[in-house]
Amino acid sequence: MIGSLYTKVRNDTRSFRRLLPYRISTSLIRTRARLTWYRRRNATIVAVTGSSGKSTAVALIGHILSAHAATKIAPVDNVPRPVARAFASITPDTRYAVFETAIGGNEDMKHVARMLKPDVALVTMVALEHRSTFKSVDRIIAEKSKLIKQVRQGGTVVVNADNEGAMKMVEDSPARRVTFGVGAGVDYRLLSVEQTAKPSLIVTMEFCGQAETFELPLIGTHIGPTLAGAIATAHTLGVPVETIRQQAACFAGVRGRLEVFRTERGPTFVLDTIKAPYHSIISVIENFGKVPAKRRIVIVGNISDYAGNPKSKYRKAREAALAAGDVAIFVGRTHRRCGAKPEEIAAGRFYGFDTVSEADAFLKQNARDTDLILLKSARSVHLERLALSWRTGVLCWLEGCGVGISCRRCMNYLPIRGNENE
């Protein structure tokens, strides 16, 4: 037993040395690793991975479990060092700990997986992201599969049966497999997802021989599989259906991920400004078009993770935006790639602006308080400033500032520094 304890502490120490800031001394790392191993003995570790839907799944699972027992939640900050810090903050009374895990580079998942050794792993879906690093879906599958290989003996893998890449990840895993999806033969079947005018989503699922309905105050029917996976995970962990239903009804979502952002005397925004991979942006825009509103405006910044000529990608995004909304606005020099037609510009249906501040000035003159506006972009553009300026004003209108966090975490956007009154 002493030998196995020594091996566990040694392995945890290696992971923490790799993941925590280098300025922390080796002795402190070893102490923290030992303490964390003892603390997590009573905690069930849930790790979520995939190319999309991770943050929403982590937040919903954690929100549901928090009504069931003491829960630690670590969404959004999914790269190795933040995950390590969150893991080290587990306390002895923690019953569940839910982590989002991602891959920013080679070997990231190896160290995170060895440290977490999850009891339950959820795979949302796999698509080609981080193209510059991994080049192909097969390489992404190989990297993310390292998490599945570290699932504890007797653990469970919850997987999206509709996604080929997700199923490849778990095909060699000896862990118990729980499937979800829209196809027949899965353990948790997604029957339908409906968008209401509240706005909210009505999710109907079938499992354990019964159909169950859950209402969540969210936007976007395309996230139905993510919600199904989170509900399946919570139920697999023993949470009663009624508790899941009650918690789903008051789930606030994730900041910056299809977040409904209301202003007092202006339009309502839907913020989706964390990332914008090409494989999912069209679906986001199309589903925004299903939300009832007097006038819908789609604003797009940068699109990421695609191969080939960007013009075709931006043109398809423009076509989707015009089909889903009454007005399409593209922000950044990329608006010249959209191939807007003269009649679209003449009719006031398409606008392009080089900077976010120019787009803000346009909205201040033309937006109505009944408008519903989608902001969709990669984080680098900081398109969320278009919404923040209606609530608090914005001081920072820098283009390409290089700050890798959202404006609401940076706080430099505020005319008077302080906490935004949410």
Side-chain angles (χ1 to χ4, degrees):
M1 179 174 178
I2 297 297
S4 62
L5 174 59
Y6 172 79
T7 301
K8 172 62 182 175
V9 170
R10 182 189 62 190
N11 289 340
D12 280 349
T13 299
R14 288 175 179 170
S15 292
F16 274 93
R17 186 183 295 117
R18 166 71 173 82
L19 300 174
L20 291 177
Y22 297 118
R23 66 177 181 270
I24 299 179
S25 67
T26 301
S27 61
L28 179 57
I29 293 173
R30 287 173 178 167
T31 301
R32 180 171 286 189
R34 291 188 183 98
L35 290 174
T36 303
W37 185 78
Y38 280 114
R39 289 171 181 165
R40 72 143 290 172
R41 286 184 303 173
N42 297 323
T44 297
I45 305 296
V46 181
V48 179
T49 193
S51 298
S52 294
K54 298 185 297 293
S55 297
T56 299
V58 168
L60 179 55
I61 293 169
H63 181 66
I64 294 171
L65 293 176
S66 64
H68 194 58
T71 303
K72 169 74 179 178
I73 310 171
V76 182
D77 289 330
N78 53 26
V79 292
R81 290 186 180 180
V83 173
R85 295 188 191 102
F87 183 72
S89 68
I90 292 176
T91 57
D93 63 342
T94 301
R95 180 64 183 85
Y96 297 103
V98 189
F99 296 91
E100 178 177 345
T101 62
I103 49 174
N106 290 306
E107 300 297 310
D108 278 359
M109 188 63 79
K110 170 185 173 181
H111 295 280
V112 169
R114 190 174 66 179
M115 177 181 59
L116 294 179
K117 293 191 180 298
D119 301 282
V120 178
L122 167 63
V123 184
T124 58
M125 57 90 70
V126 178
L128 184 53
E129 293 190 18
H130 309 292
R131 177 182 290 273
S132 60
T133 301
F134 294 100
K135 310 300 182 184
S136 69
V137 173
D138 288 338
R139 288 187 61 185
I140 291 175
I141 291 172
E143 182 67 18
K144 289 183 179 288
S145 295
K146 294 173 184 177
L147 177 70
I148 306 303
K149 293 176 182 177
Q150 291 293 335
V151 172
R152 287 177 172 269
Q153 186 176 1
T156 301
V157 174
V158 184
V159 59
N160 184 350
D162 298 329
N163 184 261
E164 182 180 354
M167 292 301 290
K168 283 185 179 180
M169 280 181 57
V170 305
E171 61 185 4
D172 296 326
S173 174
R176 173 196 175 204
R177 186 181 303 178
V178 175
T179 56
F180 67 92
V182 299
V186 296
D187 299 303
Y188 291 81
R189 189 177 185 184
L190 179 62
L191 299 178
S192 65
V193 185
E194 300 175 12
Q195 182 76 63
T196 73
K198 288 185 179 180
S200 68
L201 294 176
I202 306 295
V203 178
T204 303
M205 298 175 61
E206 182 181 21
F207 53 91
C208 299
Q210 293 187 353
E212 303 286 354
T213 300
F214 308 90
E215 183 172 7
L216 302 93
L218 302 173
I219 280 179
T221 56
H222 65 288
I223 66 173
T226 296
L227 303 178
I231 290 170
T233 302
H235 190 257
T236 299
L237 287 167
V239 182
V241 173
E242 193 55 40
T243 300
I244 296 175
R245 199 179 342 266
Q246 292 172 0
Q247 290 299 99
C250 59
F251 177 57
V254 180
R255 177 182 281 193
R257 302 288 178 93
L258 291 172
E259 171 194 0
V260 179
F261 187 98
R262 293 182 172 85
T263 60
E264 187 175 345
R265 291 181 295 275
T268 297
F269 292 86
V270 178
L271 275 59
D272 201 8
T273 53
I274 302 299
K275 61 179 184 177
Y278 178 69
H279 76 81
S280 64
I281 190 170
I282 303 300
S283 176
V284 171
I285 294 172
E286 289 176 346
N287 281 279
F288 173 74
K290 299 177 183 178
V291 183
K294 289 188 176 180
R295 186 172 72 160
R296 289 185 293 269
I297 299 176
V298 178
I299 304 181
V300 178
N302 284 353
I303 303 173
S304 65
D305 294 294
Y306 56 83
N309 193 326
K311 289 185 179 180
S312 63
K313 311 303 185 294
Y314 281 90
R315 286 175 179 173
K316 289 181 180 179
R318 185 201 91 242
E319 293 169 358
L322 290 172
D326 301 285
V327 178
I329 300 174
F330 279 67
V331 180
R333 295 181 180 179
T334 52
H335 75 79
R336 297 180 178 86
R337 300 171 175 171
C338 293
K341 299 177 181 178
E343 56 268 28
E344 295 169 352
I345 298 173
R349 296 206 62 209
F350 179 90
Y351 297 88
F353 299 101
D354 287 338
T355 67
V356 180
S357 60
E358 291 175 359
D360 178 68
F362 174 82
L363 287 180
K364 289 292 174 55
Q365 292 181 354
N366 297 279
R368 308 165 188 167
D369 58 3
T370 56
D371 286 345
L372 184 65
I373 303 176
L374 171 66
L375 303 181
K376 180 63 179 176
S377 176
R379 178 181 284 164
S380 58
V381 179
H382 298 294
L383 206 59
E384 65 268 21
R385 289 177 290 180
L386 294 177
L388 296 171
S389 67
W390 287 84
R391 184 178 287 184
T392 62
V394 170
L395 179 64
C396 175
W397 291 104
L398 290 174
E399 298 294 323
C401 66
V403 177
I405 58 176
S406 70
C407 292
R408 284 183 284 182
R409 294 181 64 185
C410 173
M411 302 297 286
N412 282 330
Y413 77 92
L414 287 171
I416 300 176
R417 294 294 299 275
N419 291 327
E420 177 196 359
N421 182 11
E422 293 285 349

